[in-house]
mmCIF file of all heavy atoms in Angstrom:
data_model
loop_
_atom_site.group_PDB
_atom_site.id
_atom_site.type_symbol
_atom_site.label_atom_id
_atom_site.label_comp_id
_atom_site.label_asym_id
_atom_site.label_seq_id
_atom_site.Cartn_x
_atom_site.Cartn_y
_atom_site.Cartn_z
ATOM 1 N N ASP A 203 37.286 77.515 54.850
ATOM 2 C CA ASP A 203 37.449 78.215 53.569
ATOM 3 C C ASP A 203 37.677 77.248 52.412
ATOM 4 O O ASP A 203 37.309 77.532 51.272
ATOM 5 C CB ASP A 203 38.611 79.203 53.653
ATOM 6 C CG ASP A 203 38.317 80.383 54.563
ATOM 7 O OD1 ASP A 203 37.120 80.650 54.801
ATOM 8 O OD2 ASP A 203 39.267 81.020 55.039
ATOM 9 N N VAL A 204 38.283 76.108 52.703
ATOM 10 C CA VAL A 204 38.532 75.106 51.657
ATOM 11 C C VAL A 204 37.251 74.341 51.323
ATOM 12 O O VAL A 204 36.974 74.052 50.157
ATOM 13 C CB VAL A 204 39.644 74.124 52.098
ATOM 14 C CG1 VAL A 204 39.708 72.904 51.188
ATOM 15 C CG2 VAL A 204 40.997 74.845 52.104
ATOM 16 N N LEU A 205 36.463 74.002 52.334
ATOM 17 C CA LEU A 205 35.278 73.168 52.123
ATOM 18 C C LEU A 205 34.059 73.940 51.616
ATOM 19 O O LEU A 205 33.263 73.406 50.839
ATOM 20 C CB LEU A 205 34.912 72.432 53.416
ATOM 21 C CG LEU A 205 35.871 71.320 53.843
ATOM 22 C CD1 LEU A 205 35.424 70.719 55.169
ATOM 23 C CD2 LEU A 205 35.963 70.245 52.778
ATOM 24 N N THR A 206 33.916 75.178 52.020
ATOM 25 C CA THR A 206 32.719 75.946 51.641
ATOM 26 C C THR A 206 32.509 76.044 50.127
ATOM 27 O O THR A 206 31.396 75.810 49.645
ATOM 28 C CB THR A 206 32.768 77.357 52.259
ATOM 29 O OG1 THR A 206 32.798 77.241 53.695
ATOM 30 C CG2 THR A 206 31.540 78.164 51.864
ATOM 31 N N PRO A 207 33.554 76.337 49.334
ATOM 32 C CA PRO A 207 33.337 76.455 47.889
ATOM 33 C C PRO A 207 33.000 75.136 47.191
ATOM 34 O O PRO A 207 32.527 75.148 46.048
ATOM 35 C CB PRO A 207 34.681 77.001 47.367
ATOM 36 C CG PRO A 207 35.373 77.559 48.550
ATOM 37 C CD PRO A 207 34.933 76.713 49.699
ATOM 38 N N VAL A 208 33.257 73.999 47.854
ATOM 39 C CA VAL A 208 33.033 72.699 47.187
ATOM 40 C C VAL A 208 31.846 71.945 47.793
ATOM 41 O O VAL A 208 31.684 70.748 47.549
ATOM 42 C CB VAL A 208 34.306 71.828 47.232
ATOM 43 C CG1 VAL A 208 35.425 72.480 46.448
ATOM 44 C CG2 VAL A 208 34.745 71.545 48.666
ATOM 45 N N LYS A 209 31.000 72.643 48.541
ATOM 46 C CA LYS A 209 29.857 71.982 49.176
ATOM 47 C C LYS A 209 28.968 71.265 48.161
ATOM 48 O O LYS A 209 28.533 70.132 48.385
ATOM 49 C CB LYS A 209 29.020 73.009 49.949
ATOM 50 C CG LYS A 209 29.533 73.348 51.331
ATOM 51 C CD LYS A 209 28.544 74.263 52.033
ATOM 52 C CE LYS A 209 28.974 74.565 53.447
ATOM 53 N NZ LYS A 209 27.996 75.424 54.160
ATOM 54 N N GLU A 210 28.697 71.932 47.031
ATOM 55 C CA GLU A 210 27.811 71.332 46.040
ATOM 56 C C GLU A 210 28.432 70.083 45.427
ATOM 57 O O GLU A 210 27.741 69.086 45.194
ATOM 58 C CB GLU A 210 27.463 72.357 44.951
ATOM 59 C CG GLU A 210 26.588 73.498 45.448
ATOM 60 C CD GLU A 210 26.189 74.443 44.327
ATOM 61 O OE1 GLU A 210 26.512 74.154 43.155
ATOM 62 O OE2 GLU A 210 25.569 75.478 44.634
ATOM 63 N N LEU A 211 29.734 70.129 45.157
ATOM 64 C CA LEU A 211 30.413 68.962 44.604
ATOM 65 C C LEU A 211 30.435 67.816 45.613
ATOM 66 O O LEU A 211 30.259 66.646 45.245
ATOM 67 C CB LEU A 211 31.844 69.329 44.206
ATOM 68 C CG LEU A 211 31.992 70.232 42.984
ATOM 69 C CD1 LEU A 211 33.446 70.685 42.835
ATOM 70 C CD2 LEU A 211 31.522 69.518 41.721
ATOM 71 N N LEU A 212 30.637 68.144 46.880
ATOM 72 C CA LEU A 212 30.616 67.116 47.913
ATOM 73 C C LEU A 212 29.239 66.479 48.027
ATOM 74 O O LEU A 212 29.112 65.254 48.170
ATOM 75 C CB LEU A 212 31.032 67.720 49.265
ATOM 76 C CG LEU A 212 32.502 68.098 49.421
ATOM 77 C CD1 LEU A 212 32.714 68.893 50.707
ATOM 78 C CD2 LEU A 212 33.388 66.863 49.420
ATOM 79 N N ALA A 213 28.207 67.307 47.942
ATOM 80 C CA ALA A 213 26.834 66.796 48.020
ATOM 81 C C ALA A 213 26.515 65.899 46.825
ATOM 82 O O ALA A 213 25.781 64.911 46.953
ATOM 83 C CB ALA A 213 25.853 67.964 48.084
ATOM 84 N N GLU A 214 27.080 66.232 45.678
ATOM 85 C CA GLU A 214 26.793 65.451 44.476
ATOM 86 C C GLU A 214 27.543 64.123 44.449
ATOM 87 O O GLU A 214 26.959 63.073 44.160
ATOM 88 C CB GLU A 214 27.169 66.262 43.233
ATOM 89 C CG GLU A 214 26.903 65.535 41.924
ATOM 90 C CD GLU A 214 27.248 66.374 40.697
ATOM 91 O OE1 GLU A 214 27.612 67.561 40.876
ATOM 92 O OE2 GLU A 214 27.153 65.844 39.573
ATOM 93 N N TYR A 215 28.833 64.144 44.798
ATOM 94 C CA TYR A 215 29.665 62.935 44.641
ATOM 95 C C TYR A 215 29.828 62.131 45.924
ATOM 96 O O TYR A 215 30.187 60.950 45.872
ATOM 97 C CB TYR A 215 31.034 63.330 44.082
ATOM 98 C CG TYR A 215 30.951 63.880 42.682
ATOM 99 C CD1 TYR A 215 31.092 65.247 42.438
ATOM 100 C CD2 TYR A 215 30.705 63.040 41.592
ATOM 101 C CE1 TYR A 215 31.009 65.758 41.150
ATOM 102 C CE2 TYR A 215 30.616 63.544 40.305
ATOM 103 C CZ TYR A 215 30.771 64.906 40.087
ATOM 104 O OH TYR A 215 30.669 65.418 38.810
ATOM 105 N N LYS A 216 29.596 62.750 47.077
ATOM 106 C CA LYS A 216 29.595 62.086 48.381
ATOM 107 C C LYS A 216 30.828 61.190 48.616
ATOM 108 O O LYS A 216 30.709 59.988 48.881
ATOM 109 C CB LYS A 216 28.319 61.248 48.548
ATOM 110 C CG LYS A 216 27.037 62.062 48.423
ATOM 111 C CD LYS A 216 25.825 61.241 48.734
ATOM 112 C CE LYS A 216 24.533 62.037 48.496
ATOM 113 N NZ LYS A 216 24.486 63.312 49.224
ATOM 114 N N PRO A 217 32.019 61.754 48.547
ATOM 115 C CA PRO A 217 33.222 60.939 48.799
ATOM 116 C C PRO A 217 33.420 60.679 50.290
ATOM 117 O O PRO A 217 32.847 61.357 51.152
ATOM 118 C CB PRO A 217 34.342 61.829 48.268
ATOM 119 C CG PRO A 217 33.844 63.224 48.517
ATOM 120 C CD PRO A 217 32.362 63.161 48.263
ATOM 121 N N LEU A 218 34.239 59.685 50.573
ATOM 122 C CA LEU A 218 34.750 59.495 51.922
ATOM 123 C C LEU A 218 35.746 60.613 52.191
ATOM 124 O O LEU A 218 36.655 60.850 51.389
ATOM 125 C CB LEU A 218 35.443 58.133 52.029
ATOM 126 C CG LEU A 218 36.330 57.884 53.254
ATOM 127 C CD1 LEU A 218 35.502 57.882 54.531
ATOM 128 C CD2 LEU A 218 37.091 56.567 53.101
ATOM 129 N N LEU A 219 35.579 61.325 53.294
ATOM 130 C CA LEU A 219 36.494 62.402 53.663
ATOM 131 C C LEU A 219 37.429 61.919 54.766
ATOM 132 O O LEU A 219 36.979 61.291 55.733
ATOM 133 C CB LEU A 219 35.725 63.636 54.145
ATOM 134 C CG LEU A 219 34.771 64.280 53.139
ATOM 135 C CD1 LEU A 219 34.071 65.476 53.776
ATOM 136 C CD2 LEU A 219 35.511 64.708 51.875
ATOM 137 N N ILE A 220 38.717 62.205 54.618
ATOM 138 C CA ILE A 220 39.706 61.866 55.643
ATOM 139 C C ILE A 220 40.358 63.163 56.090
ATOM 140 O O ILE A 220 41.083 63.808 55.329
ATOM 141 C CB ILE A 220 40.769 60.876 55.126
ATOM 142 C CG1 ILE A 220 40.115 59.605 54.574
ATOM 143 C CG2 ILE A 220 41.724 60.512 56.252
ATOM 144 C CD1 ILE A 220 40.177 59.468 53.090
ATOM 145 N N THR A 221 40.081 63.576 57.311
ATOM 146 C CA THR A 221 40.613 64.832 57.823
ATOM 147 C C THR A 221 41.794 64.581 58.744
ATOM 148 O O THR A 221 41.789 63.633 59.531
ATOM 149 C CB THR A 221 39.540 65.635 58.575
ATOM 150 O OG1 THR A 221 40.153 66.767 59.218
ATOM 151 C CG2 THR A 221 38.846 64.802 59.646
ATOM 152 N N MET A 222 42.801 65.432 58.636
ATOM 153 C CA MET A 222 43.973 65.326 59.512
ATOM 154 C C MET A 222 44.234 66.645 60.233
ATOM 155 O O MET A 222 45.345 66.898 60.703
ATOM 156 C CB MET A 222 45.197 64.900 58.702
ATOM 157 C CG MET A 222 45.584 65.832 57.588
ATOM 158 S SD MET A 222 46.941 65.175 56.566
ATOM 159 C CE MET A 222 46.045 64.003 55.558
ATOM 160 N N ALA A 223 43.211 67.496 60.309
ATOM 161 C CA ALA A 223 43.364 68.811 60.931
ATOM 162 C C ALA A 223 43.335 68.691 62.445
ATOM 163 O O ALA A 223 42.346 68.225 63.019
ATOM 164 C CB ALA A 223 42.255 69.742 60.454
ATOM 165 N N ALA A 224 44.396 69.105 63.091
ATOM 166 C CA ALA A 224 44.493 69.024 64.548
ATOM 167 C C ALA A 224 43.368 69.819 65.207
ATOM 168 O O ALA A 224 43.076 70.945 64.815
ATOM 169 C CB ALA A 224 45.847 69.550 65.010
ATOM 170 N N GLY A 225 42.738 69.214 66.191
ATOM 171 C CA GLY A 225 41.736 69.904 66.993
ATOM 172 C C GLY A 225 40.328 69.898 66.443
ATOM 173 O O GLY A 225 39.373 70.141 67.193
ATOM 174 N N LEU A 226 40.143 69.637 65.141
ATOM 175 C CA LEU A 226 38.808 69.695 64.544
ATOM 176 C C LEU A 226 38.107 68.348 64.638
ATOM 177 O O LEU A 226 38.534 67.373 64.012
ATOM 178 C CB LEU A 226 38.881 70.126 63.073
ATOM 179 C CG LEU A 226 39.283 71.564 62.780
ATOM 180 C CD1 LEU A 226 39.131 71.849 61.290
ATOM 181 C CD2 LEU A 226 38.466 72.555 63.590
ATOM 182 N N GLU A 227 37.026 68.302 65.399
ATOM 183 C CA GLU A 227 36.269 67.064 65.543
ATOM 184 C C GLU A 227 35.474 66.771 64.277
ATOM 185 O O GLU A 227 35.234 67.661 63.449
ATOM 186 C CB GLU A 227 35.324 67.163 66.743
ATOM 187 C CG GLU A 227 36.053 67.279 68.070
ATOM 188 C CD GLU A 227 35.097 67.328 69.250
ATOM 189 O OE1 GLU A 227 33.862 67.349 69.027
ATOM 190 O OE2 GLU A 227 35.572 67.342 70.395
ATOM 191 N N ILE A 228 35.051 65.529 64.151
ATOM 192 C CA ILE A 228 34.278 65.111 62.982
ATOM 193 C C ILE A 228 33.023 65.965 62.825
ATOM 194 O O ILE A 228 32.660 66.354 61.710
ATOM 195 C CB ILE A 228 33.925 63.613 63.083
ATOM 196 C CG1 ILE A 228 35.183 62.764 62.875
ATOM 197 C CG2 ILE A 228 32.849 63.231 62.063
ATOM 198 C CD1 ILE A 228 34.979 61.273 63.086
ATOM 199 N N LYS A 229 32.366 66.282 63.916
ATOM 200 C CA LYS A 229 31.130 67.068 63.830
ATOM 201 C C LYS A 229 31.390 68.453 63.240
ATOM 202 O O LYS A 229 30.518 69.046 62.595
ATOM 203 C CB LYS A 229 30.460 67.187 65.200
ATOM 204 C CG LYS A 229 31.249 67.948 66.242
ATOM 205 C CD LYS A 229 30.509 67.980 67.584
ATOM 206 C CE LYS A 229 31.299 68.753 68.637
ATOM 207 N NZ LYS A 229 30.600 68.754 69.952
ATOM 208 N N LYS A 230 32.613 68.964 63.427
ATOM 209 C CA LYS A 230 32.969 70.269 62.861
ATOM 210 C C LYS A 230 33.116 70.158 61.348
ATOM 211 O O LYS A 230 32.686 71.044 60.602
ATOM 212 C CB LYS A 230 34.281 70.752 63.481
ATOM 213 C CG LYS A 230 34.493 72.251 63.396
ATOM 214 C CD LYS A 230 33.570 72.990 64.366
ATOM 215 C CE LYS A 230 33.898 74.460 64.424
ATOM 216 N NZ LYS A 230 33.006 75.194 65.335
ATOM 217 N N ILE A 231 33.706 69.065 60.876
ATOM 218 C CA ILE A 231 33.833 68.835 59.436
ATOM 219 C C ILE A 231 32.444 68.704 58.811
ATOM 220 O O ILE A 231 32.168 69.288 57.757
ATOM 221 C CB ILE A 231 34.663 67.566 59.151
ATOM 222 C CG1 ILE A 231 36.064 67.682 59.782
ATOM 223 C CG2 ILE A 231 34.763 67.307 57.655
ATOM 224 C CD1 ILE A 231 36.895 68.820 59.258
ATOM 225 N N GLU A 232 31.557 67.967 59.473
ATOM 226 C CA GLU A 232 30.179 67.811 58.995
ATOM 227 C C GLU A 232 29.471 69.160 58.923
ATOM 228 O O GLU A 232 28.722 69.436 57.982
ATOM 229 C CB GLU A 232 29.414 66.856 59.913
ATOM 230 C CG GLU A 232 29.934 65.429 59.882
ATOM 231 C CD GLU A 232 29.322 64.546 60.962
ATOM 232 O OE1 GLU A 232 28.738 65.110 61.923
ATOM 233 O OE2 GLU A 232 29.436 63.320 60.862
ATOM 234 N N GLU A 233 29.750 69.999 59.901
ATOM 235 C CA GLU A 233 29.155 71.339 59.927
ATOM 236 C C GLU A 233 29.639 72.175 58.738
ATOM 237 O O GLU A 233 28.850 72.856 58.077
ATOM 238 C CB GLU A 233 29.521 72.029 61.241
ATOM 239 C CG GLU A 233 29.006 73.438 61.392
ATOM 240 C CD GLU A 233 29.515 74.085 62.669
ATOM 241 O OE1 GLU A 233 29.569 73.394 63.709
ATOM 242 O OE2 GLU A 233 29.878 75.281 62.618
ATOM 243 N N PHE A 234 30.936 72.120 58.452
ATOM 244 C CA PHE A 234 31.488 72.872 57.321
ATOM 245 C C PHE A 234 30.945 72.366 55.986
ATOM 246 O O PHE A 234 30.697 73.145 55.067
ATOM 247 C CB PHE A 234 33.016 72.768 57.302
ATOM 248 C CG PHE A 234 33.711 73.451 58.449
ATOM 249 C CD1 PHE A 234 34.996 73.068 58.828
ATOM 250 C CD2 PHE A 234 33.105 74.484 59.151
ATOM 251 C CE1 PHE A 234 35.648 73.699 59.877
ATOM 252 C CE2 PHE A 234 33.748 75.117 60.209
ATOM 253 C CZ PHE A 234 35.017 74.716 60.575
ATOM 254 N N VAL A 235 30.757 71.045 55.885
ATOM 255 C CA VAL A 235 30.257 70.443 54.646
ATOM 256 C C VAL A 235 28.779 70.725 54.449
ATOM 257 O O VAL A 235 28.305 70.894 53.327
ATOM 258 C CB VAL A 235 30.532 68.920 54.641
ATOM 259 C CG1 VAL A 235 29.845 68.243 53.477
ATOM 260 C CG2 VAL A 235 32.031 68.652 54.589
ATOM 261 N N GLY A 236 28.037 70.774 55.551
ATOM 262 C CA GLY A 236 26.616 71.084 55.467
ATOM 263 C C GLY A 236 25.712 69.879 55.399
ATOM 264 O O GLY A 236 24.490 70.018 55.371
ATOM 265 N N GLU A 237 26.286 68.674 55.348
ATOM 266 C CA GLU A 237 25.485 67.460 55.372
ATOM 267 C C GLU A 237 26.345 66.303 55.852
ATOM 268 O O GLU A 237 27.563 66.412 55.963
ATOM 269 C CB GLU A 237 24.909 67.147 54.002
ATOM 270 C CG GLU A 237 25.931 66.820 52.928
ATOM 271 C CD GLU A 237 25.249 66.374 51.644
ATOM 272 O OE1 GLU A 237 24.939 65.176 51.539
ATOM 273 O OE2 GLU A 237 25.017 67.236 50.781
ATOM 274 N N LYS A 238 25.693 65.180 56.133
ATOM 275 C CA LYS A 238 26.407 64.026 56.647
ATOM 276 C C LYS A 238 27.074 63.267 55.504
ATOM 277 O O LYS A 238 26.421 62.850 54.552
ATOM 278 C CB LYS A 238 25.444 63.097 57.393
ATOM 279 C CG LYS A 238 24.856 63.695 58.653
ATOM 280 C CD LYS A 238 25.800 63.584 59.829
ATOM 281 C CE LYS A 238 25.791 62.206 60.415
ATOM 282 N NZ LYS A 238 26.575 62.116 61.668
ATOM 283 N N LEU A 239 28.380 63.116 55.612
ATOM 284 C CA LEU A 239 29.168 62.299 54.695
ATOM 285 C C LEU A 239 30.034 61.362 55.533
ATOM 286 O O LEU A 239 30.293 61.636 56.713
ATOM 287 C CB LEU A 239 30.062 63.183 53.824
ATOM 288 C CG LEU A 239 29.398 64.086 52.776
ATOM 289 C CD1 LEU A 239 30.466 64.924 52.086
ATOM 290 C CD2 LEU A 239 28.621 63.273 51.767
ATOM 291 N N PRO A 240 30.497 60.251 54.951
ATOM 292 C CA PRO A 240 31.421 59.404 55.699
ATOM 293 C C PRO A 240 32.725 60.149 55.970
ATOM 294 O O PRO A 240 33.317 60.733 55.051
ATOM 295 C CB PRO A 240 31.633 58.195 54.780
ATOM 296 C CG PRO A 240 31.233 58.649 53.423
ATOM 297 C CD PRO A 240 30.190 59.698 53.614
#
């Protein structure tokens, strides 16, 4: 819910993302973002 509304901004600025969510693998974060980011 946090990442979905900012997908376009993430695609435009392509920041390094640092996730600390227990249990969520990197591939899950990539899935929520919709594209490959660091």
Side-chain angles (χ1 to χ4, degrees):
D203 291 339
V204 167
L205 290 177
T206 299
V208 296
K209 278 186 177 182
E210 292 184 5
L211 289 171
L212 289 170
E214 180 178 355
Y215 294 105
K216 302 186 185 305
L218 166 65
L219 299 179
I220 304 109
T221 172
M222 60 186 78
L226 291 187
E227 295 182 356
I228 289 174
K229 64 181 180 182
K230 202 73 172 179
I231 302 299
E232 294 170 343
E233 178 185 320
F234 293 157
V235 171
E237 65 174 275
K238 294 278 282 187
L239 291 177

